[in-house]
């Protein structure tokens, strides 16, 4: 088992364009940190940042772009169709060196990145039944972002850090080697599947003595 340490930078889940999950988070008191389109990749997002990582709600904007040559290997299109295909709608991005943790990677060069930059993606993520595992272009936790970017994080909702990220694969889907390595290196918790759907939960720490809570994704965002 590797001792190389990684930090989870963010997790994504595919939703329908501007889906109800966005308003569900706002009803819980969360505030949007930022929105962004990904030109050439065929996706857009809205992000909710906590102290140490952020949750990205991601949706498809162009099937043609998502299935184009430079993008297709990410299986983003297949992941976006999880409701009909049973694929895994999640992605997990880390701060650190996936390859250094013993995870084979390939270099993803989406059109929206500046020339010369790439995103290392685990080759095991070629299987859309597994989450997409990759290295985040960002190197800092949200608490360390410039003030104009991080805003107030989720402190007004009395939530601070995400203490634990728990991933549950669908029944019958064994975690790939890259996912096992990531769990060992980052503290990600893997749970055996108990049903047909994948699931993810964030264990949120309260601030100023407020009670913690668990946010279930995607079912808890409806």
């Amino acid at each position: 088992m590797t001792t190389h340490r990684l930090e989870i930078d963010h997790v994504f889940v595919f939703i329908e364009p501007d889906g109800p999950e966005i308003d569900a988070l706002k009803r819980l008191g969360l505030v949007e940190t930022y929105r962004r389109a990904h030109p050439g990749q065929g996706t857009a997002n809205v992000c909710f940042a906590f102290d140490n990582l952020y949750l990205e709600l991601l949706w498809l904007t162009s099937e043609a772009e998502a299935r184009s040559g430079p993008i297709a290997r990410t299986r983003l299109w297949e992941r976006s169709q999880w409701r009909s295909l049973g694929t895994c709608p999640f992605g997990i991005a880390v701060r650190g060196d996936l390859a250094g943790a013993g995870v084979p990677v390939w270099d993803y060069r989406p059109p929206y990145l500046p020339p010369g930059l790439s995103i290392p993606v685990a080759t095991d993520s070629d299987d859309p039944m597994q989450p997409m595992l990759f290295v985040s272009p960002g190197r800092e936790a949200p608490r360390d972002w410039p003030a104009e970017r991080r805003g107030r994080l989720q402190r007004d909702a009395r939530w601070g850090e995400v203490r634990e990220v728990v991933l549950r694969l669908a029944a019958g889907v064994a975690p790939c080697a890259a996912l096992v390595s990531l769990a060992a290196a980052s503290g990600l918790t893997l749970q055996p599947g108990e049903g047909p759907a994948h699931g993810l939960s964030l264990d949120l720490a309260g601030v100023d003595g407020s009670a913690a809570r668990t946010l279930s994704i995607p079912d808890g965002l409806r």
Side-chain angles (χ1 to χ4, degrees):
M1 180 177 294
T2 181
T3 58
H4 188 97
R5 296 303 300 168
L6 300 169
E7 293 182 325
I8 295 177
D9 182 80
H10 65 276
V11 297
F12 76 64
V13 56
F14 264 104
I15 65 171
E16 294 299 316
D18 290 309
E21 294 87 351
I22 300 172
D23 285 339
L25 285 177
K26 292 179 179 179
R27 286 194 296 272
L28 293 174
L30 273 67
V31 294
E32 292 184 23
T33 306
Y34 67 87
R35 292 185 179 227
R36 183 183 182 191
H38 305 113
Q41 180 175 277
T43 59
N45 67 20
V46 57
C47 298
F48 295 81
F50 300 90
D51 285 9
N52 58 329
L53 59 82
Y54 65 93
L55 171 62
E56 176 184 12
L57 303 185
L58 186 68
W59 60 87
L60 196 70
T61 57
S62 170
E63 178 179 346
E65 289 183 357
R67 303 186 79 173
S68 65
I71 312 301
R73 188 175 177 181
T74 64
R75 303 297 191 265
L76 287 171
W77 181 81
E78 289 85 350
R79 298 177 198 284
S80 75
Q81 305 302 302
W82 61 273
R83 291 175 180 83
S84 58
L85 299 180
T87 47
C88 182
F90 304 123
I92 302 174
V94 300
R95 296 186 293 270
D97 181 7
L98 266 182
V103 176
V105 299
W106 61 279
D107 287 329
Y108 174 46
R109 294 183 173 85
Y112 61 84
L113 280 185
L117 294 184
S118 63
I119 296 174
V121 178
T123 57
D124 281 352
S125 298
D126 289 354
D127 180 359
M129 295 301 292
Q130 302 287 334
M132 183 177 174
L133 309 177
F134 59 103
V135 176
S136 174
R139 296 291 182 265
E140 296 181 326
R143 64 164 66 91
D144 298 320
W145 293 349
E148 63 273 15
R149 182 184 180 197
R150 71 172 184 267
R152 295 181 57 82
L153 299 177
Q154 305 307 327
R155 292 281 168 152
D156 288 346
R158 302 181 65 78
W159 292 350
E161 288 194 349
V162 176
R163 299 187 301 189
E164 184 180 29
V165 178
V166 181
L167 175 68
R168 185 188 72 253
L169 297 180
V173 178
C176 62
L179 189 56
V180 173
S181 294
L182 176 60
S186 70
L188 171 73
T189 299
L190 301 178
Q191 290 185 344
E194 298 179 350
H198 300 74
L200 187 76
S201 63
L202 306 180
D203 181 17
L204 306 176
V207 297
D208 302 326
S210 56
R213 68 164 295 162
T214 297
L215 184 62
S216 299
I217 305 166
D219 291 341
L221 305 184
R222 304 288 176 83

